[in-house]
Amino acid sequence: MSKRKMSEDYESSGVEESELSDEGYEYEEPEDPTIFAAESSEEVRVDTFTLAELTARVEDVIERLAEVTSLPRDQAFAILAHQRWNLDSALAAFAEDPARLAKKVGLSDEKAVPASAVCCVCYDAAADGADLLRPLSCMHVACRECWKNYLEERLSINQECLITCLASGCGLLVPRSRVQACLQGRTLETYQRSIAESYVQSKSNMKWCPTPDCNSVISPDHGAAVSQLQVLECKQCQQQFCFTCGENHVPSSCQMLREFKHRCDSEGDNMSWLKDNTKECPKCCSFIEKNGGCNWIKCSKCGFEFCWLCGRAIKHSEIDAAGGSHRCNVFKSEDEKKEIEKRKSAAGKLREEDERRKFLHYYGRYLAHRQSSRLEMQNLNALRSQHSPDAESEAVRFLRQAQAQGLDRLRVARQMLWSSYILGFYQKWDAAGCGKEIFEDLQHLLENRTEALSKAIQASFINDEGKNFMDEKLEIIRLTDAVKTNMNNLKDVCSRDIRV
């Protein structure tokens, strides 16, 4: 395939060549001339661990510490959890002063049950049939049932992997083996999950997959740095998300997403801040925040010079201490004040209305794509639940596969589109360049392709007699590939040319 400049590519999308002045944008021309095939941003390889695989890694670290230090596994576990699962730190602390470390962590050994012991909770004695467990070094004796109730209550309140003795004020840790022996079923799973949570939270390069009930952990390969404009994909559920905040918001940033959601919840907050902390330029109505003590202000946007106190146009020389001509200490009549306030009010209302209309423009499109995504996901879920390959012909089966792939592509395309409107609302564009036009044109192409794919999939669900399943399948596949290409183009331009 040949390569040509961006200005030539844009002829197919209705943008004049004269509108594009930037150099350096090259895209590989695909077979369909309306699809821009940019190289996608460098992908970050990730490792995905199931809960079982993560548990195996935890046990391996425990085994390594126990082998080097000759400690029981329960104590090796407690030290590692206390040292945030840093094996080197645990070894260094143990080598420096084992006794001090044991006291700091709360380690203890199990002792024999005294002959006349009773449970310190329910006061049942062994002679009365109570199943008393061996006490810790603190000699607090309790029966199995009380231990079980205590551990279940602690885990229901706070899912923690290090649990102290049930006696009030005792700081010794309960051995992991005792916790596991006393618990069963869902409560035991909660405890095992709390150990995995502790391990993941200690690792800056690990995150849980945000998909509910996935229980997988994602880790960038070899600790690679991950940009906010790169999404990671869980290999278990294929969910894509930002490693920093857990949502898929490319091409906007985490901060843009947070601010936009906050704006959606409380639309008037920004206007209130501007009103309390800024004044408007009397000429261009731009909001100005005063950053110095001098009351002579020059608007950085239009260059208009005015007095911060009264808003009248002045030159710097007019407020000079050597006898400037400007005076705003004189009380103005009601007519003059009303005229000034009227002018300010009109300018403020115009600016406020323009800001509101801008927000509603982007917010409306953001909501539309989120709503479309929800409806398309309903179709995908229905397709998966009703799909019965044995009862369908080969042609219909292939069409169903194309529909599922197309609907899944629509899901990620809608995510990129609603996020692109967040970026469009906040991004400050260089007036001298054509970045805004390039971004909006690529956004428009992705939007068109996404709607075309959605329409084709919707039409393919209609049961018309004698229709060609193969043609429908090929059309869905073609549009699915086109949407993927347009997504790569938009992501590539944003990650390379937009600072977020």
Side-chain angles (χ1 to χ4, degrees):
M1 295 184 182
S2 63
K3 283 192 175 182
R4 56 184 180 177
K5 293 294 182 183
M6 187 69 162
S7 58
E8 296 175 1
D9 283 336
Y10 265 78
E11 292 175 7
S12 62
S13 60
V15 179
E16 298 295 333
E17 183 176 350
S18 60
E19 296 181 38
L20 298 164
S21 58
D22 284 4
E23 294 293 327
Y25 288 97
E26 290 192 358
Y27 289 88
E28 188 176 354
E29 182 185 10
E31 294 178 3
D32 188 336
T34 62
I35 305 172
F36 301 159
E39 286 187 339
S40 61
S41 303
E42 182 181 354
E43 297 295 329
V44 177
R45 293 184 59 189
V46 298
D47 295 322
T48 302
F49 304 101
T50 63
L51 187 57
E53 292 170 337
L54 190 66
T55 301
R57 288 171 67 94
V58 170
E59 295 299 329
D60 180 64
V61 178
I62 295 172
E63 180 62 34
R64 289 163 63 187
L65 180 62
E67 184 178 353
V68 173
T69 59
S70 299
L71 288 171
R73 288 179 61 87
D74 283 345
Q75 294 189 3
F77 159 77
I79 291 173
L80 282 167
H82 184 270
Q83 299 294 122
R84 294 187 56 79
W85 297 97
N86 187 318
L87 181 59
D88 292 337
S89 174
L91 287 170
F94 182 82
E96 181 179 354
D97 192 339
R100 180 185 176 188
L101 178 63
K103 183 177 181 180
K104 184 178 180 180
V105 175
L107 302 182
S108 68
D109 297 318
E110 291 187 341
K111 306 296 183 181
V113 179
S116 59
V118 295
C119 175
C120 65
V121 179
C122 66
Y123 298 103
D124 278 349
D128 297 328
D131 183 12
L132 299 181
L133 300 184
R134 298 176 64 185
L136 306 178
S137 301
C138 57
M139 298 306 292
H140 293 133
V141 181
C143 66
R144 183 180 300 276
E145 187 65 23
C146 290
W147 270 113
K148 175 177 177 293
N149 294 337
Y150 167 73
L151 294 172
E152 288 179 347
E153 183 180 0
R154 284 289 296 266
L155 288 170
S156 66
I157 296 173
N158 184 19
Q159 294 184 12
E160 51 191 344
C161 63
L162 296 178
I163 302 176
T164 56
C165 175
L166 51 68
S168 177
C170 183
L172 294 185
L173 292 180
V174 183
R176 182 177 67 147
S177 58
R178 170 167 298 188
V179 178
Q180 293 171 331
C182 291
L183 299 177
Q184 59 185 352
R186 187 177 296 275
T187 311
L188 180 58
E189 292 176 3
T190 300
Y191 178 65
Q192 301 286 42
R193 170 73 184 228
S194 71
I195 297 175
E197 287 274 9
S198 170
Y199 183 81
V200 172
Q201 289 175 6
S202 70
K203 308 298 180 185
S204 61
N205 66 329
M206 282 187 169
K207 289 284 180 70
W208 289 98
C209 174
T211 303
D213 301 323
C214 179
N215 288 328
S216 297
V217 173
I218 313 300
S219 176
D221 193 23
H222 304 300
V226 182
S227 164
Q228 290 186 14
L229 289 181
Q230 289 173 310
V231 291
L232 306 183
E233 182 174 299
C234 174
K235 296 176 183 177
Q236 294 296 319
C237 65
Q238 286 72 54
Q239 173 70 22
Q240 294 182 332
F241 62 96
C242 167
F243 190 72
T244 303
C245 70
E247 293 200 44
N248 186 355
H249 53 70
V250 172
S252 63
S253 67
C254 302
Q255 182 179 358
M256 287 179 178
L257 178 64
R258 286 194 301 269
E259 291 182 0
F260 194 82
K261 284 185 173 181
H262 179 70
R263 177 80 182 255
C264 294
D265 295 335
S266 52
E267 194 271 340
D269 284 355
N270 286 343
M271 294 301 168
S272 298
W273 185 91
L274 290 172
K275 180 180 179 182
D276 294 339
N277 297 276
T278 67
K279 288 187 178 182
E280 290 184 356
C281 170
K283 183 177 180 181
C284 69
C285 300
S286 297
F287 288 108
I288 299 173
E289 184 181 12
K290 191 167 179 280
N291 60 0
C294 181
N295 286 316
W296 169 80
I297 303 296
K298 183 176 182 179
C299 177
S300 60
K301 185 174 182 180
C302 68
F304 183 70
E305 298 172 287
F306 65 99
C307 173
W308 180 262
L309 299 177
C310 67
R312 293 169 58 187
I314 58 169
K315 297 294 183 182
H316 193 272
S317 59
E318 295 181 47
I319 57 172
D320 187 76
S325 59
H326 176 70
R327 298 178 64 184
C328 66
N329 61 317
V330 179
F331 177 75
K332 291 182 172 55
S333 67
E334 286 299 319
D335 290 341
E336 289 181 288
K337 286 170 44 176
K338 285 181 180 179
E339 184 62 29
I340 293 173
E341 290 301 321
K342 182 179 178 181
R343 176 163 49 85
K344 286 184 177 180
S345 177
K349 288 180 179 178
L350 180 63
R351 177 59 181 264
E352 185 175 340
E353 181 62 26
D354 186 57
E355 180 72 11
R356 185 179 292 109
R357 285 189 289 106
K358 177 185 176 182
F359 174 72
L360 290 177
H361 169 85
Y362 288 98
Y363 180 63
R365 285 151 182 79
Y366 161 86
L367 280 184
H369 284 295
R370 299 209 70 151
Q371 176 67 13
S372 296
S373 180
R374 282 192 291 269
L375 295 174
E376 287 158 356
M377 285 307 97
Q378 290 176 10
N379 288 338
L380 179 58
N381 294 333
L383 179 64
R384 287 171 174 169
S385 62
Q386 298 172 6
H387 186 42
S388 53
D390 296 337
E392 296 173 340
S393 65
E394 186 177 30
V396 175
R397 190 162 61 251
F398 286 154
L399 175 61
R400 295 291 179 255
Q401 292 174 356
Q403 289 171 336
Q405 292 171 359
L407 285 168
D408 192 59
R409 176 55 56 183
L410 281 176
R411 174 180 61 83
V412 292
R414 295 290 186 190
Q415 286 178 329
M416 179 169 283
L417 281 169
W418 63 249
S419 184
S420 72
Y421 280 104
I422 297 177
L423 174 66
F425 179 72
Y426 285 108
Q427 182 64 29
K428 305 299 182 184
W429 305 99
D430 183 5
C434 60
K436 185 174 185 290
E437 288 74 16
I438 292 174
F439 166 78
E440 289 179 343
D441 203 47
L442 290 174
Q443 183 188 51
H444 168 71
L445 285 173
L446 175 58
E447 209 161 31
N448 277 0
R449 291 289 171 183
T450 300
E451 298 303 337
L453 175 59
S454 181
K455 181 179 179 182
I457 293 176
Q458 194 67 33
S460 69
F461 281 111
I462 300 175
N463 295 320
D464 292 334
E465 293 294 334
K467 69 177 182 180
N468 193 320
F469 294 108
M470 184 60 67
D471 287 347
E472 287 189 331
K473 183 200 77 169
L474 292 175
E475 177 66 6
I476 292 173
I477 292 175
R478 186 186 74 82
L479 290 171
T480 301
D481 290 340
V483 169
K484 180 180 179 181
T485 302
N486 291 143
M487 286 179 62
N488 284 338
N489 290 335
L490 182 59
K491 183 172 73 171
D492 189 69
V493 166
C494 291
S495 62
R496 190 174 59 215
D497 302 326
I498 294 179
R499 300 291 177 263
V500 295

